[in-house]
Amino acid sequence: MRGRNAAIAVSTLTVAAALVGCDADGADPNTLRVGTEGTCAPFSFRGADGEVTGYDIEVIEAIGERLGMRVEYRLALNRPALFSGLRSRRVDLVANHVAPTLPLSEQYELSRYYAEARPVILTRPGEDLNISVTEMSGRNAAYWDCGNWSDGIDASQGGAKVTVESLDHAVRLTKDGHVDATVTDSMAVADYLTRTADDNLVATGITPPFSLPQTFVARKNDPVMDEVDRALIEIRADGTLHAISEKYFSTGSVLPEE
């Protein structure tokens, strides 16, 4: 295993400046610098106290504690800035509801999967949508994907692809009839149902079904990923990862099969 020296230190939650203004020099080897947007609930967002929190963040905190490293969060203005921060060595890791893709795996080091979702269509009761991976068959749909997977699902035959600020916003548009459906993922739906217990929507999968595993991202060949993977194995084995997933997604399991 590629090694990284990590002396014991207290894991803390620190929010730094936006990545565009961070210095790449003088990195503390006992600090894990994590890039995230902080705008992607329930995965990475600002809590009522202004601190960054969420499922991805709590998993990273558990990893930092297991590695004996202080965790420092550096907020990016957008997704491209996250990966720019990695390349310029301003951050060590990206935690932002990222699904693995072939281009990502060729350019970066990807972690073990810490969650897994599936694309989901939310409709009003009585609606009958037959939705393929590549088209929406002329339907108007609101898309809530703060990750990177829905670009391959396009509205076609006159349909409109409506981008929204949150899943709650997409659900309101669907219920009010402004769009025919909401396209999102099962993790976001599980969080929504956990928060609202809303039973006025029908959730169906996209056909053919496919999985959306979630991964952390580091620079290619960075030994930090070996340490992250080791910690992920340990926090899954001792129940920590399950406890975090239950907190955010109590209506269904989001952990990938082992």
Side-chain angles (χ1 to χ4, degrees), residues 68-81:
M69 300 183 72
R70 175 175 171 269
V71 181
E72 179 179 280
Y73 297 100
R74 300 192 171 185
L75 300 184
L77 300 177
N78 50 46
R79 182 168 291 269

Side-chain angles (χ1 to χ4, degrees), residues 5-236:
N5 223 349
I8 299 298
V10 177
S11 179
T12 61
L13 183 64
T14 303
V15 179
L19 286 179
V20 292
C22 295
D23 189 356
D25 297 326
D28 181 354
N30 298 323
T31 297
L32 185 63
R33 301 169 302 166
V34 177
T36 191
E37 289 183 83
T39 58
C40 185
F43 311 101
S44 167
F45 62 97
R46 294 290 194 100
D49 59 359
E51 296 292 318
V52 65
T53 188
Y55 177 73
D56 287 21
I57 302 306
E58 291 204 26
V59 174
I60 285 291
E61 286 290 305
I63 289 171
E65 183 175 355
R66 187 56 57 102
L67 298 179
M69 300 183 72
R70 175 175 171 269
V71 181
E72 179 179 280
Y73 297 100
R74 300 192 171 185
L75 300 184
L77 300 177
N78 50 46
R79 182 168 291 269
L82 287 173
F83 293 97
S84 174
L86 266 183
R87 293 191 299 271
S88 61
R89 299 181 178 273
R90 292 192 292 268
V91 298
D92 306 304
L93 206 67
V94 165
N96 206 74
H97 192 45
V98 177
T101 64
L102 181 58
L104 272 180
S105 66
E106 291 173 342
Q107 298 178 61
Y108 301 100
E109 208 71 43
L110 306 182
S111 74
R112 294 174 61 90
Y113 303 152
Y114 61 93
E116 187 172 70
R118 282 177 172 75
V120 170
I121 307 298
L122 296 177
T123 59
R124 297 178 297 277
E127 294 287 335
D128 182 20
L129 293 186
N130 182 17
I131 300 174
S132 73
V133 171
T134 56
E135 65 178 39
M136 286 293 295
S137 301
R139 302 285 185 165
N140 299 323
Y143 283 71
W144 171 238
D145 169 27
C146 59
N148 59 323
W149 60 267
S150 73
D151 290 343
I153 305 175
D154 298 322
S156 65
Q157 302 177 20
K161 184 174 180 178
V162 180
T163 302
V164 293
E165 298 177 353
S166 67
L167 180 56
D168 295 52
H169 181 200
V171 166
R172 288 195 300 272
L173 292 177
T174 302
K175 285 184 173 181
D176 293 343
H178 296 298
V179 297
D180 297 307
T182 289
V183 180
T184 185
D185 67 67
S186 56
M187 290 177 69
V189 172
D191 167 69
Y192 176 78
L193 294 177
T194 297
R195 291 186 289 106
T196 68
D198 187 349
D199 59 0
N200 295 313
L201 291 167
V202 177
T204 56
I206 288 176
T207 56
F210 60 95
S211 65
L212 301 167
Q214 305 299 304
T215 184
F216 300 122
V217 186
R219 286 180 294 277
K220 201 69 174 175
N221 300 317
D222 191 329
V224 72
M225 196 56 85
D226 280 333
E227 299 300 310
V228 169
D229 279 346
R230 174 175 64 82
L232 278 171
I233 292 171
E234 293 178 358
I235 66 173
R236 176 150 191 176

